[in-house]
Amino acid sequence: MFKIHEFSSADGRLSSVYLRVDEQQLEIVSEDGAWPLPQGALRAVLARFGAPFDDAARISTIASLPLPNGAVLRHVRHLAGYDVIARDYIVYEEPESEGLCALAATVAAALLHLGRAGAQTV
């Protein structure tokens, strides 16, 4: 599984959000369950909330996940000159396209919403 976000839950425990590929289907996973994501949801979230990825940015790659459509998802950490704490970003890169990045917390929240909403309509 590919961790995209970690936060403190209401009771103070650390809670993680993951993505995984199960039988060519992308799923979002949290301690509450796992939900399949609609085709193209990841790209749509990054297009909506993200910006072009700056290849010159000083980052540390935390993890990488190849996707069934040939794209690659990376979890990166960036410490800007004005920040005290590094921020986690998700970078979505398709072949022959400009990479898109967005804050990991934003991507996790949007994908959790889409996964849960999709499960309620089935």
Side-chain angles (χ1 to χ4, degrees):
M1 286 201 295
F2 178 80
K3 187 188 299 186
I4 60 171
H5 186 52
E6 188 173 65
F7 59 94
S8 295
S9 62
D11 64 3
R13 291 181 301 117
L14 284 179
S15 183
S16 298
V17 178
Y18 301 90
L19 286 174
R20 71 177 174 204
V21 177
D22 187 31
E23 297 180 20
Q24 302 299 309
Q25 173 75 44
L26 190 62
E27 293 181 329
I28 185 92
V29 180
S30 75
E31 64 184 24
D32 299 327
W35 302 273
L37 293 170
Q39 190 75 21
L42 182 60
R43 186 179 200 311
V45 166
L46 269 291
R48 170 69 176 92
F49 297 108
F53 179 64
D54 180 5
D55 288 326
R58 290 185 1 196
I59 60 158
S60 299
T61 299
I62 306 303
S64 177
L65 176 70
L67 300 173
N69 66 353
V72 175
L73 196 63
R74 291 191 295 150
H75 178 180
V76 302
R77 190 160 288 147
H78 173 65
L79 178 61
Y82 50 83
D83 283 335
V84 175
I85 298 173
R87 297 175 190 245
D88 287 353
Y89 290 87
I90 300 299
V91 180
Y92 179 80
E93 297 169 309
E94 292 178 325
E96 308 300 321
S97 294
E98 184 175 41
L100 296 170
C101 71
L103 283 169
T106 302
V107 173
L111 292 177
L112 279 169
H113 173 74
L114 289 172
R116 290 175 177 151
Q120 292 176 357
T121 61
V122 173

